[in-house]
């Protein structure tokens, strides 16, 4: 019995970390149609911000939940002003530019901190279920995923900023005639997406190996999830993260981690074949 | 100044004739004595493997500087031509060609991953350039042009597995990186577990970009092993040790690893995460012999930013010194003469102790050490002297088959 609970926790962990990793990309790619190949490096920057500040004596929770998103959000703002704003509507160009950006960020971090690993210990401890052990941090990640979901939903549905952002993304010309400054909306949306990604990096820092190249491990899965999720950023990302996270963890449990990975990508191919518009294109039409 | 085509042709004609008319001048002994002996170096100093490559380059430079300070070899100074291979196999092939054809080096030290070694080895065979691979690896390379100075499983895994089993129990669970190093090392682990009367409950392989080890940790708990044997590699896989600790498993099932600590893991993980992990290598920075202490001091003095100095750096230093001893013994830089001299059991007392080359395998007989992480440092528990590369010796005999150039996958 205990083993089922533990596996369920693993699945929950897989889903919530995938969701957190993808949310920022869903905002940037799903809403703004900017292919941000530097997404993995935003995660890495969040992780570095957490580790560097935590090792400098900042409380680990503040480092994860405040320093990481603020720092990466700021970086995102600068990048939007210097690079991304020239690329709206140019899908392929944005891909090339952000790929170069990702190499640049890796290079800068390597030059400053070197290639050796960094790290902070995981806060919270473990608990036991029967003869099995699991960690409270798993539950915390799941909690954070729910909080972020609620936050994004709340901001997008009930605030003026959310309304303006959604309107601008749908029809910038119309929004502009109504007195909205689309450039400003794009800028702040990109910064918010970056901040959310930075938060994911911060949350991941205590459970992963942190090197300048770590972003590479996440970027493919993040795109797969966002594309699989389709147009609705929240319900789409959540449903795709649930599907792929569960497939990955259950697959890895019953076979090997190699097949777990293979299964996820197979599931993604099948999903895109059957639902070219992503999950939300079919089931959550018109949703957020 | 204008430079017409005619002028150019005239000039080159004159230059060519002069060169052809006076070869004796350029080839004379008087000038050759000043000519440096050229050592090629192929190491990753950027990209994901840079943390391993950087101390190796420092060690190579140290060895060359020491030889030059002692008057060089055969009265000639050594010169290093170094290429940063940027953790990219294509760069290895490209720079290997360049070293052999354009730079005309006398020896090459380099290669870190097994993949990089296999990418450059055929090039050096073809262009007849002596090649040294100074890294611990899965064993089995059998090539008269190549010398492998790092440890192989028979030297380290063979010590690690029984000690770990003695400490904890007979049931093992193997986790390893999913490429040839991990796959082959897992086979060796299995062999030594069985040889010592134990049992392997499961062997799991992980692609290098796997970062979430939750299910694995649950599976390990369900299998209830006495010991975990790990050949996980790289930054993403370090996550395993963190997640293991955060699940509260630390101290419940001990871990022994063939890769942990090669790039500084003990000092970057928290003490709670790394304490009491077992490892076995041909060298640890913490060795207290005078030779080891001076070696570490010299490198750290020259490069204060040096990451952990592991077997990789020690073997590189010893590899260069062994080669130098071979050149001295041969009294020539001619490749075949140096190979024959090296085969005549050349030895060197290095930071890890006495290292001697084995004629039949071109591998080294060297000391091995067993250590445990304590408070973010390795604490050496046992040392074994003059351990032979028995794995490679079981498949490779260059005395009988001098033309062999294969890497054998040792069947177990």
């Amino acid at each position: 019995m205990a083993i089922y609970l533990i596996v369920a926790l693993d699945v929950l962990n897989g889903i919530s970390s995938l969701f957190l990793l993808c949310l920022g990309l869903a905002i940037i790619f799903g809403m703004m149609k900017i292919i941000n190949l530097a997404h993995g490096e935003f995660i890495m920057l969040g992780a570095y911000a957490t580790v560097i500040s935590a090792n400098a004596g900042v409380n680990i929770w503040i480092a994860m939940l405040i320093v990481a998103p603020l720092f990466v959000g700021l970086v995102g703002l600068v990048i939007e002003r210097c690079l991304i704003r020239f690329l709206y509507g140019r899908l392929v160009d944005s891909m090339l530019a952000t790929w170069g950006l990702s190499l640049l960020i890796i290079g800068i971090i390597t030059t400053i901190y070197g290639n050796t690993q960094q790290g902070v210990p995981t806060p919270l401890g473990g608990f036991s279920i029967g003869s099995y052990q699991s960690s409270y941090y798993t539950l915390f990640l799941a909690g954070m995923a729910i909080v972020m979901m609620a936050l994004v939903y709340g901001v997008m549905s009930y605030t003026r900023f959310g309304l303006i952002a959604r309107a601008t993304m749908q029809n910038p010309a119309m929004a502009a005639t109504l007195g909205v400054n689309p450039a400003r909306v794009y800028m702040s949306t990109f910064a918010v997406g970056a901040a959310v990604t930075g938060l994911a990096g911060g949350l991941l820092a205590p459970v992963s190996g942190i090197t300048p190249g770590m972003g590479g491990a996440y970027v493919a899965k993040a795109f797969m999830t966002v594309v699989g999720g389709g147009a609705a950023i929240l319900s789409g990302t959540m449903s795709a993260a649930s599907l792929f996270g569960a497939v990955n963890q259950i697959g890895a449990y019953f076979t090997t981690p190699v097949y777990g990975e293979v299964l996820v990508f197979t599931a993604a191919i099948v999903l895109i074949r059957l639902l070219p518009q992503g999950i939300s294109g079919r089931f959550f039409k018109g949703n957020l | 100044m204008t430079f017409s085509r005619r002028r150019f042709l005239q000039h080159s004609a004159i230059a060519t004739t002069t060169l052809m008319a006076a070869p004796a001048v350029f080839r004379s002994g008087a000038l050759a004595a000043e000519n440096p002996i050229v050592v090629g170096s192929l190491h990753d100093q950027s990209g994901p493997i840079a943390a391993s490559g950087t101390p190796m380059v420092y060690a190579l430079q140290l060895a060359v500087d020491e030889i030059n300070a002692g008057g060089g070899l055969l009265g000639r100074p050594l010169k290093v031509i170094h290429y940063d291979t940027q953790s990219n196999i294509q760069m290895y092939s490209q720079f290997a060609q360049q070293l052999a054809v354009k730079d005309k080096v006398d020896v090459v030290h380099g290669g870190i991953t097994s993949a990089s070694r296999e990418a450059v080895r055929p090039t050096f065979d073809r262009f007849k350039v002596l090649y040294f691979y100074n890294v611990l690896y899965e064993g089995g390379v059998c090539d008269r042009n190549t010398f492998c100075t790092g440890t192989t499983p028979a030297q380290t895994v063979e010590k690690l597995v029984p000690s770990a089993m003695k400490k904890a129990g007979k049931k093992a669970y193997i986790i390893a990186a999913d490429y040839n190093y991990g796959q082959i090392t897992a086979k060796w682990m299995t062999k030594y577990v069985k040889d010592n009367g134990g049992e392997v409950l499961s062997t799991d392989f992980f692609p290098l970009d796997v970062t979430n080890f939750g299910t694995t940790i649950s599976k390990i708990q369900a299998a209830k092993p006495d010991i975990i044997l790990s050949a996980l590699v790289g930054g993403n896989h370090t996550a395993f040790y963190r997640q293991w600790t955060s699940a509260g498993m630390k101290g419940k099932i001990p871990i022994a690893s063939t890769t942990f600590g090669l790039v500084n893991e003990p000092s970057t993980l928290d003490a709670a995460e790394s304490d009491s992990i077992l490892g076995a290598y041909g060298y640890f920075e913490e060795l207290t012999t005078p030779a080891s202490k001076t070696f570490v001091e010299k490198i750290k003095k020259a490069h204060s930013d040096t990451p952990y100095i592991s077997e990789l750096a020690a073997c590189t230093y010893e590899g260069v010194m062994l080669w130098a001893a071979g050149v001295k013994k041969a009294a020539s830089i001619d490749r075949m003469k140096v190979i024959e001299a090296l085969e005549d059991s050349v030895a060197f007392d290095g930071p890890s102790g006495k290292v001697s080359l084995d004629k039949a395998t071109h591998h080294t007989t060297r000391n091995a050490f067993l250590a445990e992480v304590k408070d973010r440092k390795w604490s050496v528990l046992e040392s074994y002297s003059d351990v032979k590369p028995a794995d490679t010796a079981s498949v490779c005999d260059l005395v009988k088959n001098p033309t062999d150039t294969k890497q054998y996958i040792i069947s177990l």
Side-chain angles (χ1 to χ4, degrees):
Chain A
M1 188 54 217
I3 184 71
Y4 293 112
L5 260 173
I6 285 285
V7 175
L9 270 178
D10 288 336
V11 172
L12 186 70
N13 182 24
I15 294 171
S16 45
S17 28
L18 194 57
F19 176 76
L20 287 167
L21 286 169
C22 295
L23 192 58
L25 188 73
I27 293 171
I28 290 172
F29 173 67
M31 272 180 82
M32 307 176 67
K33 297 290 174 267
I34 284 286
I35 296 190
N36 178 21
L37 286 183
H39 180 69
E41 282 60 47
F42 283 12
I43 294 174
M44 180 266 285
L45 285 179
Y48 266 85
T50 304
V51 170
I52 303 297
S53 53
N55 289 345
V58 177
N59 178 289
I60 177 76
W61 299 102
I62 294 175
M64 271 194 310
L65 300 174
I66 296 171
V67 176
L70 272 186
F71 173 70
V72 181
L74 216 61
V75 170
L77 195 73
V78 172
I79 287 170
E80 202 275 347
R81 284 291 89 187
C82 302
L83 182 73
I84 307 290
R85 71 181 167 122
F86 305 109
L87 300 168
Y88 289 119
R90 296 161 63 186
L91 213 62
V92 178
D93 300 356
S94 73
M95 207 159 106
L96 205 59
T98 51
W99 185 42
L101 178 69
S102 82
L103 297 178
L104 177 73
I105 297 177
I106 294 176
I108 291 173
I109 294 295
T110 311
T111 317
I112 302 176
Y113 296 107
N115 246 306
T116 45
Q117 294 218 23
Q118 312 277 335
V120 279
T122 321
L124 304 170
F127 60 93
S128 37
I129 301 175
S131 56
Y132 293 93
Q133 286 278 336
S134 189
S135 73
Y136 283 117
Y137 200 76
T138 308
L139 296 177
F140 171 69
L141 278 183
M144 277 312 292
I146 294 169
V147 168
M148 286 311 293
M149 198 155 48
L151 204 66
V152 171
Y153 182 78
V155 168
M156 288 295 171
S157 316
Y158 298 114
T159 64
R160 202 176 143 71
F161 171 78
L163 187 71
I164 291 175
R166 281 189 293 152
T168 310
M169 301 308 155
Q170 275 183 16
N171 194 336
M174 178 67 84
T177 55
L178 293 172
V180 172
N181 180 354
R184 256 202 8 233
V185 177
Y186 278 124
M187 179 185 80
S188 36
T189 312
F190 191 87
V192 168
V196 170
T197 308
L199 177 71
L203 290 172
L204 226 72
V207 284
S208 62
I210 297 156
T211 56
M214 68 183 277
Y218 301 110
V219 72
K221 266 190 204 153
F223 268 100
M224 182 186 82
T225 310
V226 173
V227 171
I233 56 163
L234 205 60
S235 49
T237 309
M238 190 61 225
S239 48
S242 306
L243 177 71
F244 295 143
V247 166
N248 190 353
Q249 299 289 323
I250 295 173
Y253 188 81
F254 286 105
T255 58
T256 70
V258 180
Y259 288 114
E261 298 284 292
V262 172
L263 273 173
V264 170
F265 286 100
T266 315
I269 294 168
V270 172
L271 180 79
I272 292 298
R273 176 69 190 83
L274 295 180
L275 304 171
Q277 302 296 315
I279 299 176
S280 64
R282 174 136 192 145
F283 298 107
F284 302 102
K285 228 175 218 163
N287 280 30
L288 185 65
Chain B
M1 190 183 99
T2 51
F3 207 82
S4 70
R5 196 165 69 118
R6 179 172 302 232
R7 273 276 283 285
F8 174 72
L9 286 175
Q10 274 174 358
H11 277 276
S12 14
I14 293 166
T16 320
T17 345
T18 324
L19 270 171
M20 282 170 62
V25 177
F26 290 94
R27 289 188 202 150
S28 76
L31 264 176
E34 302 296 314
N35 272 352
I37 293 176
V38 189
V39 179
S41 155
L42 284 180
H43 293 94
D44 306 306
Q45 275 189 298
S46 49
I49 310 175
S52 306
T54 307
M56 292 173 80
V57 177
Y58 294 166
L60 180 129
Q61 196 60 52
L62 174 65
V64 167
D65 289 348
E66 283 182 1
I67 293 169
N68 279 341
L73 285 175
L74 316 174
R76 295 163 62 183
L78 300 188
K79 185 180 123 192
V80 179
I81 294 186
H82 168 71
Y83 290 112
D84 174 6
T85 35
Q86 301 168 25
S87 306
N88 179 336
I89 298 290
Q90 270 173 352
M91 296 275 180
Y92 269 101
S93 311
Q94 184 190 328
F95 287 138
Q97 288 258 0
Q98 206 159 325
L99 282 173
V101 179
K102 189 175 140 249
D103 303 323
K104 301 209 182 316
V105 294
D106 297 297
V107 65
V108 174
H109 289 265
I112 300 181
T113 61
S114 289
S116 65
R117 178 198 64 235
E118 291 308 298
V120 299
R121 201 161 59 83
T123 307
F124 296 134
D125 283 351
R126 189 164 67 238
F127 292 108
K128 304 208 181 322
V129 177
L130 185 57
Y131 173 51
F132 273 71
Y133 176 64
N134 305 308
V135 175
L136 74 158
Y137 81 112
E138 65 279 0
V141 168
C142 194
D143 184 339
R144 202 152 174 235
N145 189 53
T146 302
F147 287 88
C148 303
T149 62
T151 56
T152 54
Q155 293 168 308
T156 51
V157 185
E158 197 237 354
K159 308 293 175 202
L160 180 67
V161 171
S163 328
M165 287 169 68
K166 208 194 287 167
K167 190 175 160 188
K170 300 217 174 266
K171 284 185 290 176
Y173 196 109
I174 299 174
I175 47 179
D178 192 23
Y179 70 99
N180 68 354
Y181 172 78
Q183 299 267 5
I184 297 173
T185 306
K187 279 193 198 166
W188 283 105
M189 288 171 166
T190 311
K191 173 186 156 61
Y192 291 125
V193 168
K194 285 186 182 147
D195 286 359
N196 288 285
E199 172 194 8
V200 174
L201 300 177
S202 177
T203 305
D204 284 2
F205 294 104
F206 300 85
L208 285 173
D209 61 355
V210 165
T211 52
N212 189 334
F213 290 89
T215 43
T216 307
I217 290 170
S218 309
K219 270 168 92 169
I220 293 175
Q221 295 186 39
K224 297 190 176 60
D226 298 323
I227 180 110
I228 293 167
L229 301 175
S230 152
L232 297 175
V233 174
N236 290 332
H237 285 183
T238 305
F240 171 80
Y241 302 101
R242 292 226 160 92
Q243 292 171 19
W244 181 252
T245 310
S246 86
M249 291 304 294
K250 192 80 222 322
K252 299 215 161 127
I253 304 174
I255 301 175
S257 172
T258 57
T259 43
F260 190 84
L262 277 179
V263 284
N264 219 10
E265 288 91 341
S267 72
T268 51
L269 285 175
D270 194 57
E273 292 163 334
S274 62
D275 257 355
S276 85
I277 291 178
L278 281 174
Y281 298 110
Y283 178 75
F284 287 97
E285 187 186 289
E286 288 84 355
L287 287 182
T288 52
T289 59
S292 164
K293 277 185 171 165
T294 3
F295 174 67
V296 172
E297 269 165 28
K298 276 182 185 162
I299 290 196
K300 294 218 161 152
K301 202 172 146 202
H303 309 277
S304 55
D305 61 333
T306 317
Y308 182 79
I309 301 169
S310 67
E311 173 179 344
L312 301 175
C315 289
T316 302
Y317 177 82
E318 289 161 355
V320 177
M321 289 305 196
L322 281 169
W323 165 77
V327 174
K328 266 187 205 153
K329 196 168 188 177
S332 160
I333 193 65
D334 178 72
R335 184 184 68 110
M336 269 329 283
K337 284 186 186 152
V338 175
I339 291 180
E340 276 158 19
L342 286 167
E343 283 173 340
D344 193 13
S345 55
V346 158
F348 174 73
D349 278 313
S352 71
K354 188 184 167 209
V355 185
S356 56
L357 276 170
D358 174 49
K359 182 174 189 178
T361 58
H362 281 204
H363 283 54
T364 56
T365 299
R366 53 162 56 249
N367 300 337
F369 305 91
L370 180 79
E372 181 182 57
V373 182
K374 250 190 207 146
D375 203 18
R376 310 178 85 181
K377 276 193 171 320
W378 287 104
S379 133
V380 179
L381 302 174
E382 290 283 346
S383 46
Y384 310 89
S385 43
D386 300 327
V387 190
K388 291 192 164 52
D391 43 19
T392 311
S394 71
V395 288
C396 177
D397 190 345
L398 288 165
V399 181
K400 266 196 211 146
N401 312 310
T403 55
D404 203 343
T405 57
K406 256 200 345 214
Q407 178 182 12
Y408 289 92
I409 304 293
I410 301 163
S411 58
L412 301 164

